[in-house]
Amino acid sequence: MKSEQDCEISLSIVVPCYNEEGILEELLERVQRVAGEVAGGGFELILVDDGSKDRTWEIVESMGARHDWVKGLRLSRNFGHQCALTAGLEIARGECVFIIDADLQDPPELLKPMFDRLQEGFDVVYGQRESREGESWFKLATADAFYRLMEKLSDTRIPRDAGDFRLIRRCVLEAYLSMPERHRFVRGMIAWAGFRQVAFPYARAARKTGETNYPLSKMLRLAVDAITGFSIVPLRFCGILGLLSIFVSFCLLVYVGLSYFVFGSTRGWASIAAIVTFFGSVQLISLSLIGEYIGRSFMELKRRPIYFVSESVNSDSNSTKLGL
Ligand code: UDP
Ligand code: MG
């Protein structure tokens, strides 16, 4: 049930925050200005502290004390960007939900033109990065390779160069929240949900303070979540690998036969060792791929909450389904 105050909220802005103490005041100021223009007084800013180690939560609390439209959730530990975002989405009450990062790489001022696009009859307006300042060639190259791979592997068209920065309608939010899986890949799940989606090209700024919370290891984890969550093609890859190794072993057999009968020589232990290692590796690769899917099925089967809330400000976090 929506409370009387919730009914007046037309816009929710959801921001996951991890060690973002240096930027939150500027974020609040810029969001307040632009959200006021778009939604009058009917908006809320939801800040989710994803187990930060700095003063992020103290700042969220003080902002909540100053403004009743600032709502805060503190997760019990660092659950990761996608889970923190989901926690915020679960308490969002607006008719439209604007998802942005705390670091101001995605300018909040784009809310106005994105909102205009939504009014043209779309349900999702997702930001598509035309240029990205201050990001290493390595990050750009790996991101590009990832999106290319996803296009090949999955039937769901996950837009290229789009992060989670987007404006969505309530119907899309409800669809997203109805998906119970533990491994969340928000942009992919929203793409999968369908509805009328449109890209909004923009220039992505560099991070204002602090540094990226997405080191290579987290990026890889997100990529594996995305691939295993949206495609079973890698499992078929084991079959292809098997066929390929049958072909290689056939060629080897011909070679061994020829060298024995034609050249009269017997090959030594080195070639046998090479063949054994080759097939051993093919089997191990296949096993690890299958294991990845079984492991994920196991994690999903446990049906654990995807986050825990330890504290909240101006919000009743009991209404959540995916967390506790
Ligand atoms: N973030 C989070 N939990 C994490 C890592 C990141 O809530 O474990 C938040 C972070 O505060 C930011 C957003 O997710 O608002 C995107 O993170 P970041 O800017 O580090 O990623 P990048 O823009 O470098 O991909
Ligand atoms: Mg960033």
Side-chain angles (χ1 to χ4, degrees):
M1 275 289 276
K2 286 183 174 185
S3 74
E4 211 169 277
Q5 191 208 355
D6 288 340
C7 285
E8 293 161 14
I9 294 173
S10 58
L11 173 71
S12 305
I13 298 135
V14 179
V15 191
C17 312
Y18 182 57
N19 297 339
E20 304 284 7
E21 60 179 5
I23 200 78
L24 288 180
E25 288 294 346
E26 182 180 344
L27 173 82
L28 179 93
E29 195 187 301
R30 285 171 64 177
V31 160
Q32 181 173 19
R33 203 174 323 128
V34 66
E37 272 174 39
V38 169
F43 64 88
E44 61 180 1
L45 171 65
I46 300 172
L47 300 168
V48 183
D49 174 15
D50 187 18
S52 299
K53 294 184 183 72
D54 63 0
R55 294 185 53 255
T56 297
W57 180 247
E58 281 91 275
I59 297 171
V60 172
E61 272 187 319
S62 94
M63 287 174 167
R66 275 182 279 148
H67 309 284
D68 59 358
W69 47 269
V70 176
K71 301 177 179 177
L73 289 182
R74 185 183 205 181
L75 304 191
S76 61
R77 64 170 170 84
N78 179 249
F79 283 89
H81 176 200
Q82 306 287 297
C83 294
L85 179 54
T86 305
L89 290 174
E90 281 218 275
I91 62 161
R93 295 289 165 260
E95 279 309 312
C96 300
V97 180
F98 189 44
I99 302 173
I100 54 172
D101 287 353
D103 57 9
L104 293 172
Q105 279 191 281
D106 310 314
E109 288 71 25
L110 294 182
L111 170 62
K112 180 80 180 70
M114 286 170 89
F115 189 74
D116 291 343
R117 245 6 218 125
L118 203 75
Q119 298 302 89
E120 287 169 23
F122 292 102
D123 300 308
V124 177
V125 179
Y126 60 85
Q128 193 158 40
R129 301 152 186 177
E130 275 192 319
S131 62
R132 302 165 80 164
E133 265 178 52
E135 295 198 87
S136 67
W137 68 264
F138 181 73
K139 181 148 186 166
L140 296 184
T142 45
D144 189 55
F146 166 71
Y147 283 108
R148 277 168 197 274
L149 186 67
M150 279 306 284
E151 264 174 33
K152 295 260 177 315
L153 292 184
S154 169
D155 294 335
T156 308
R157 285 278 76 90
I158 300 171
R160 258 195 210 192
D161 291 324
D164 295 318
F165 177 51
R166 59 194 59 217
L167 182 63
I168 61 174
R169 281 190 198 277
R170 180 121 221 122
C171 54
V172 180
L173 176 71
E174 305 275 341
Y176 171 76
L177 294 176
S178 72
M179 302 179 202
E181 62 246 55
R182 313 289 105 173
H183 295 98
R184 322 262 325 163
F185 181 55
V186 179
R187 66 201 79 160
M189 290 162 76
I190 292 182
W192 184 83
F195 298 92
R196 288 159 298 178
Q197 312 213 0
V198 70
F200 183 89
Y202 75 107
R204 191 169 208 230
R207 204 170 222 286
K208 282 237 168 169
T209 60
E211 53 187 47
T212 175
N213 293 307
Y214 264 101
L216 184 62
S217 58
K218 272 194 189 174
M219 256 165 52
L220 280 177
R221 209 178 312 149
L222 187 70
V224 175
D225 274 352
I227 291 169
T228 51
F230 284 85
S231 170
I232 54 161
V233 175
L235 285 177
R236 288 188 204 129
F237 177 72
C238 300
I240 297 170
L241 216 59
L243 285 178
L244 209 72
S245 59
I246 288 177
F247 176 72
V248 173
S249 61
F250 180 76
C251 294
L252 279 171
L253 213 67
V254 171
Y255 173 70
V256 170
L258 273 181
S259 59
Y260 182 77
F261 289 113
V262 181
F263 308 114
S265 63
T266 318
R267 306 315 289 172
W269 65 271
S271 53
I272 295 174
I275 295 164
V276 170
T277 3
F278 174 76
F279 288 109
S281 343
V282 168
Q283 283 167 12
L284 280 179
I285 291 172
S286 308
L287 268 181
S288 78
L289 269 175
I290 297 168
E292 188 65 42
Y293 282 88
I294 294 180
R296 273 154 197 277
S297 309
F298 169 65
M299 299 303 278
E300 292 290 343
L301 209 68
K302 288 201 273 191
R303 309 206 61 74
R304 287 191 181 163
I306 63 171
Y307 59 87
F308 290 108
V309 175
S310 62
E311 281 173 73
S312 61
V313 177
N314 293 339
S315 161
D316 170 21
S317 61
N318 292 338
S319 56
T320 58
K321 282 192 311 233
L322 295 162
L324 272 184

